[in-house]
Amino acid sequence: MGVEDNYFQITDLDANTTFYDWVNKENDEIIEKLNLMNIYGASAGDGNIIVVIGSTANTYDAGDVVISLNNTISGITVDGNFVVTGTIALSDGTVASSLVTSVNGSTGAVTIAGITGPAGGTGATGSAPDPVFISKNKLINGNFDIWQRGNSFTGNSNRYFADRWVRFSDSSALAKITNGTLSRGTFTPGQTNVAGNPTYYAVCSLIYSGITTSDFVGIENKIENGDNFIGEKVYVDGYVRMQGTTGATLDVYIRRSIDGSTYTTEEFTDRVYAPGTTWTSFLVGHTVAFTGSTFTNDGFTSIGFKVNEVPSGQTLEISNVRAFATQGVTLEDSPFREQTDTQEELRKCSKFYQRTYGLDNTDASVTMLNSTDPDFTAVRFSATSTNEFYYDFPVEMRDTPTLTIYSPATGVTTDGYNKTAALDMRLTSGTSGWNGNIRLHTTGQTTLSTTANTKGIIFDIVSGAVIFDDIFVHYVADSDHNI
C-alpha cells in the first residue's frame, strides 16, 4: 500500500527519527501525498440534485461532500426503461398506477401499459386523468408451458391436451370430425417473433367434412367457476399462425357452464385472423353480458377460439394467450408480456390435475436412478405395524380426484415398488424382510389400496411388503372439470 491509496496513513515522527528519515518522509510521503490531491468546489448542475459541503454551518464534517436527490424533481427525460417499484401518485394524491408508461405533455393523456386514459386539461387548472386498472392474466397455462397429460394426441374425441386447454365440439360437429391432432410445438431459444419468451405453443389440426358456421368446434382454456367476467370488459390477446396454403379467421368466445354439463356461449364481435406462416399478434375485446344464473361447484368459464373456418387438414398454431378484465376501458394495444414462471404455472394447474412425474416424463415412465434405486420424483414411505400412510397433496385439489398409481420401476399400474426387496410389490411373495418376516402376495390380489380426497391420499399396504420395507409409488390425480 502506497501514498496513492486513499487509506494510506502518514505515521508520526518520534525522538529516534534521524534527519535522513525525516527527509525521506517529507519527500516520499508528505509532499507526494499533497501532490496527488485535487481539491475543487462542488455544486449541482440544477435544482434536482442537492450538494452540501461540510462546514461549521451544518452538521457535516469538514471535508465531506454530501450529494442527494431533491424531494421534488422536474424537467427529467427518461431514455430507456422507467421502472417504478411503488405506486405513482398524481398531484392531488390519487394513485394513478405503477404501469404508467408515458404522459402526453400537450393533451394530458396518460398511457398505462398500452391503455390511453382520459386526457386531463392543460395548465395549472387541468384535472388529473382517472386511474386505469387491468387484471392479471385470468388464464392458467395460457402460454402452454405445462403438458402433464402428454405432448401429442390423435383422434376425434373432445379432450384436454395442454393443462387447462381443451378441444371441444358439440355433438353436431363431433359427428363430422373424422380425425385430428393436438401436439406441442417448441420455439427456437432466443426467437423474437412472439413476445414473452415462451418455450412451447399449441399445434392443432382437424380432418372433417361438412362442418358449418352453426356447428361448434373450439380450442379453449377452462377457468374455475362459472361467474367470471360477468358485466365486465374482457380483452384476449396472443399470437396465431397457419401452416398451410391459406389463412383462417377465428371467432373468440366465452363458454359458460352452470353445472359442468349445460352451457351457454357468447362470441366476441371482434375476430382474429391468422394470415399464414408468420406469427401474428392479436387483441380483441368484448363487454360480457349479465346473467342471473346460480352456479354449482362444477361450473366453469372457458375462453376459446372457434375454429370452424380453419380448412380441413390445415394446421393452426396458437401461442401465449391471455385474458384480462378491465373497468370499462378500451385497450389500444396489448400490455407488456412478462415471461411466466413454469413452476408457478404448474402449481396452479395442480389444483385440477397433478402427478408425481417430471414434466418431461409421460405417465407409466420408468423413473429409476439405477436397477434398484428410484429417483426423487416418486412418493416414498415405509411399511409400519398399521400398514397405513397419509400423503398430503402439494396443492389441494379442486374436488375429490380420480386416482391412478404406477410402479416407478416398471410403470405397471395399481402396484408400487418395494425398494427393500428390489421388486415390484406383486413380485415379492416368498422373499424375506426384516427379522426374517416372509412377504406374501396372492396373484390377482391388490398390493396397495388408496383413498383420496381433495387434501391427499391414504395408502394401505395389502400385500407384498413387511414391516420396515421402503415403498415407492407414482400417482396421477385428476379433478378437472368435465369437458
Side-chain angles (χ1 to χ4, degrees), residues 64-351:
D64 288 347
V65 176
V66 180
I67 301 173
S68 59
L69 186 66
N70 201 334
N71 288 333
T72 301
I73 60 175
S74 61
I76 298 297
T77 300
V78 178
D79 183 8
N81 294 331
F82 177 51
V83 178
V84 178
T85 57
T87 57
I88 295 177
L90 304 176
S91 58
D92 63 355
T94 302
V95 174
S97 176
S98 60
L99 299 177
V100 173
T101 57
S102 67
V103 178
N104 189 312
S106 60
T107 66
V110 180
T111 301
I112 302 178
I115 307 170
T116 301
T122 59
T125 60
S127 60
D130 293 331
V132 177
F133 299 96
I134 308 173
S135 68
K136 293 182 179 180
N137 186 10
K138 296 294 187 180
L139 306 185
I140 297 174
N141 200 33
N143 68 341
F144 302 98
D145 269 346
I146 313 300
W147 295 69
Q148 292 191 91
R149 293 172 172 85
N151 302 336
S152 182
F153 309 89
T154 302
N156 63 341
S157 61
N158 293 336
R159 67 162 303 117
Y160 283 93
F161 50 108
D163 281 54
R164 312 307 308 132
W165 286 94
V166 174
R167 184 180 68 199
F168 173 78
S169 305
D170 62 16
S171 57
S172 172
L174 200 57
K176 302 172 185 177
I177 298 173
T178 57
N179 206 346
T181 60
L182 293 162
S183 61
R184 187 180 76 180
T186 303
F187 282 106
T188 302
Q191 61 81 33
T192 57
N193 294 317
V194 176
N197 197 29
T199 304
Y200 304 117
Y201 56 91
V203 181
C204 314
S205 176
L206 289 172
I207 299 175
Y208 56 79
S209 176
I211 283 181
T212 67
T213 55
S214 62
D215 294 318
F216 191 94
V217 185
I219 302 296
E220 64 185 41
N221 183 289
K222 282 186 181 292
I223 307 169
E224 188 177 18
N225 301 322
D227 57 355
N228 294 285
F229 309 124
I230 293 175
E232 294 181 324
K233 185 81 172 181
V234 176
Y235 288 89
V236 177
D237 70 358
Y239 290 81
V240 291
R241 70 177 179 182
M242 288 288 297
Q243 295 293 347
T245 57
T246 60
T249 301
L250 315 175
D251 286 303
V252 181
Y253 64 84
I254 295 177
R255 188 166 73 96
R256 193 183 307 282
S257 175
I258 297 173
D259 54 10
S261 57
T262 58
Y263 62 89
T264 59
T265 303
E266 195 172 334
E267 294 186 9
F268 288 32
T269 301
D270 297 335
R271 309 181 80 200
V272 174
Y273 182 65
T277 58
T278 299
W279 284 110
T280 303
S281 63
F282 65 87
L283 172 72
V284 293
H286 177 71
T287 301
V288 182
F290 286 92
T291 174
S293 302
T294 300
F295 300 93
T296 70
N297 183 52
D298 287 327
F300 62 81
T301 308
S302 292
I303 294 286
F305 304 92
K306 194 175 177 183
V307 296
N308 297 49
E309 294 185 30
V310 175
S312 176
Q314 296 292 321
T315 299
L316 168 69
E317 297 175 344
I318 309 172
S319 175
N320 214 355
V321 182
R322 303 181 300 180
F324 301 103
T326 66
Q327 295 184 342
V329 181
T330 299
L331 277 174
E332 293 186 352
D333 200 356
S334 302
F336 173 76
R337 287 175 172 83
E338 293 183 285
Q339 184 170 353
T340 58
D341 184 331
T342 302
Q343 291 304 312
E344 175 63 17
E345 292 301 295
L346 175 60
R347 187 192 67 78
K348 293 176 183 177
C349 292
S350 294
K351 181 177 183 179

